[in-house]
Amino acid sequence: QKNSCVLPEDLKNFYLMTDGFQMTWSVKTDDTPMPLGSMVINSVSRLCRLGGSSMYTLPSAPTLADLEDDTDEEGNGDKPEKPHFDSRSLIFELDPCNGNGKVCLVYKHAEPVVSPDTEIWFLDRALYWHFLTKTFTAYYRLLITHLGLPQWQYAFTSYGVSPQAKQWFNMYKPITINTALLSEEADSFVNKLDPNKVFKSKNKTPVLKKKPPSQPPGSQKTQSSTTSAKTSSLAGNSSRK
């Protein structure tokens, strides 16, 4: 009522279930837990509006609206029209991103009447806008998919994530950080494991039994003749007795 706008249906259903969302997770290094991932959706009371109000108490203090540059190219090609800090748009902070920027719910057409159409945009620390998704549901899926890794929103900017954040991506989300490589080579992340080679039974080499050395035929004849001679002599001895 204060801002004369209505929450989108999916975000309203989310707030009917829970007043905001925050989840953090850590990794253990040298037996010491270190906070790493953070997923945040501001509560309704912290759904603050960005734009017209000054950050200082001085009457002539600059505001975000003073940073508007009408020379920016709007909606050229496939690029969506960027939000405005002045009265043309209504901007609400969904996630402070631990100081790395702000994820915002944007009503891009607020004059003369606030349009119910909303989008999710990322405002980086240099106050440049980057489009994320058209709906809150799609953004929520992105948030969960990227595990709340540090600076994950910068993956949707032209300059990408920092080298330090890229190391965490390579460890926990290697496919996400290598989307360009994935689009160029569809099989680059396909498991090429060949089960026939992995589970192939090892063929045991048969142990050959050693055969006794074969005797030449002449020796066999000699043995047989000596055997017969012994038999005949024994027979003669017995007859003499």
Side-chain angles (χ1 to χ4, degrees), residues 4-6 90 106-118:
S4 301
C5 59
V6 179
L90 287 178
V106 177
Y107 296 80
K108 288 198 299 185
H109 304 289
E111 291 181 347
V113 180
V114 179
S115 171
D117 298 331
T118 59

Side-chain angles (χ1 to χ4, degrees), residues 102-158:
K102 295 181 184 296
V103 174
C104 300
L105 174 71
V106 177
Y107 296 80
K108 288 198 299 185
H109 304 289
E111 291 181 347
V113 180
V114 179
S115 171
D117 298 331
T118 59
E119 293 175 346
I120 309 297
W121 286 72
F122 175 60
L123 181 66
D124 64 20
R125 297 184 63 178
L127 300 181
Y128 286 102
W129 288 106
H130 308 277
F131 176 76
L132 291 180
T133 62
K134 286 185 172 295
T135 63
F136 171 77
T137 301
Y139 168 74
Y140 189 75
R141 290 172 179 169
L142 277 183
L143 176 65
I144 301 299
T145 301
H146 287 82
L147 307 175
L149 288 170
Q151 305 176 18
W152 71 265
Q153 296 88 356
Y154 282 88
F156 295 88
T157 66
S158 58

